[in-house]
Amino acid sequence: MRSNGITYDTGFINRGVTTRATFDPETVRREMRVIRDDLHCDAVRVTGGDPDRLETAATYAADAGLEVWFCPFTCDLTTDELLALLGDCAERAERIRGRGADVVFLTGSELALSTLGFLPGDTFADRSALFGDPVRLRESLAEVPARVNDFLGEAVRTVRARFGGKVSYASLPFENVDWTPFDIISSDAGYRSVEVAEGFREAFAAFAAQGKPVAVTEFGCTTHTGAAGKGGHGDLIVEWGADGTPVRLDGDYPRDEDEQAAYLRELLDIFDAAGVDTAFVNTFARYDLPHREAPHEDFDRASYGVVKVLEGRTGHTYPGLPWEPKAAFAALADRYADGGVERRNLSADR
């Protein structure tokens, strides 16, 4: 692949609760250096719903020498609200690009699920629940592609009026995106599960055959035994409280960092063979799913992060940073280093 990437969450906001309660710019700066110099990534997809946080993280990513994929990832906005936010973010991304950084702008993520007006339901939870009701889902999906493509056409026009770099969109398969106005074909459906294993590689090869670069904007595995077979559903083992914080795991899930690491290596092989241009591991860290010693409260087992987040303390490998690398971190570092990404000295940051 041309670029080896990872996603970086600045905070997904759902009903006033964010996946990243604390956002410290100095921590972000150091993490971007770790991503570039120790993980050996050369691209990062910066996601979240707060434009200020997105710009801060994207700026530090550019300063570290990373290709920046500037990706607003919002929840329960109207299409008018999202369009206004995309315009604002496009101006921010252009400022970073104007300083000489390589920047790709994504016109949102998973619109049909995350945004009002494409599927029935006033909340993200309501829309997600449709996937447990096949009859209602089938009826609802029929109108989704036309609605999504109408919005994306307007979104691309809004963004290109403010941003001079390449433009894409982090899509879901059932949205059936018309890629004509975009520079890159991008999919968030990079999760191989038991249900989609057959034909998984062929699906991405078919994207590549369309003649545009292909990006897998999300793929990964959580950190428990059996997670590889669950793909994008490996995090659905958490019971959440009314305040949006995790309470407990809903069963026994043995911790398994090796399975997570092996999954990432296998999928990178698949994407290489399919002709994918860029792939982004989901994700660097899930700050809302911390590691704990008690098995039913070790929320990192439900995390796609390649580091385990610590509570009330910092780690040893990177003093001052509130996490420790997992086996997946080492697997990616080895794989990406073999891809020729230049190693830099981080001694000043450690």
Side-chain angles (χ1 to χ4, degrees), residues 126-199:
D126 292 339
R127 295 186 293 275
S128 298
L130 285 172
F131 289 82
D133 186 342
V135 175
R136 285 190 66 210
L137 178 64
R138 188 163 50 249
E139 294 172 351
S140 302
L141 289 183
E143 299 179 3
V144 166
R147 291 174 179 173
V148 166
N149 284 307
D150 283 347
F151 176 81
L152 288 176
E154 189 172 0
V156 170
R157 289 190 292 273
T158 297
V159 168
R160 289 203 188 277
R162 297 163 172 81
F163 176 75
K166 293 181 179 179
V167 178
S168 189
Y169 163 68
S171 67
L172 293 170
F174 64 83
E175 293 174 327
N176 292 330
V177 171
D178 175 4
W179 295 106
T180 303
F182 294 99
D183 301 297
I184 302 165
I185 298 170
S186 298
S187 174
D188 268 1
Y191 300 94
R192 185 194 61 188
S193 64
V194 171
E195 293 81 5
V196 301
E198 185 176 352

Side-chain angles (χ1 to χ4, degrees), residues 64-120:
L66 290 156
E67 180 179 273
V68 179
W69 290 51
F70 197 112
C71 184
F73 201 160
T74 60
C75 186
D76 293 344
L77 297 185
T78 66
T79 52
D80 286 344
E81 290 170 336
L82 178 56
L83 201 63
L85 184 140
L86 291 175
D88 176 29
C89 287
E91 292 176 357
R92 295 168 187 260
E94 180 62 17
R95 286 199 291 268
I96 297 170
R97 197 182 74 89
R99 296 170 48 222
D102 292 326
V103 185
V104 175
F105 191 89
L106 290 96
T107 58
S109 299
E110 305 179 10
L111 289 179
L113 275 179
S114 64
T115 306
L116 297 171
F118 299 103
L119 284 170

Side-chain angles (χ1 to χ4, degrees), residues 246-249 251 289-301 311:
V247 176
R248 66 182 65 85
L249 301 183
L289 294 175
H291 168 63
R292 294 176 180 171
E293 293 302 322
H296 281 77
E297 294 182 0
D298 181 11
F299 301 115
D300 182 68
R301 301 183 191 202
E311 286 188 306

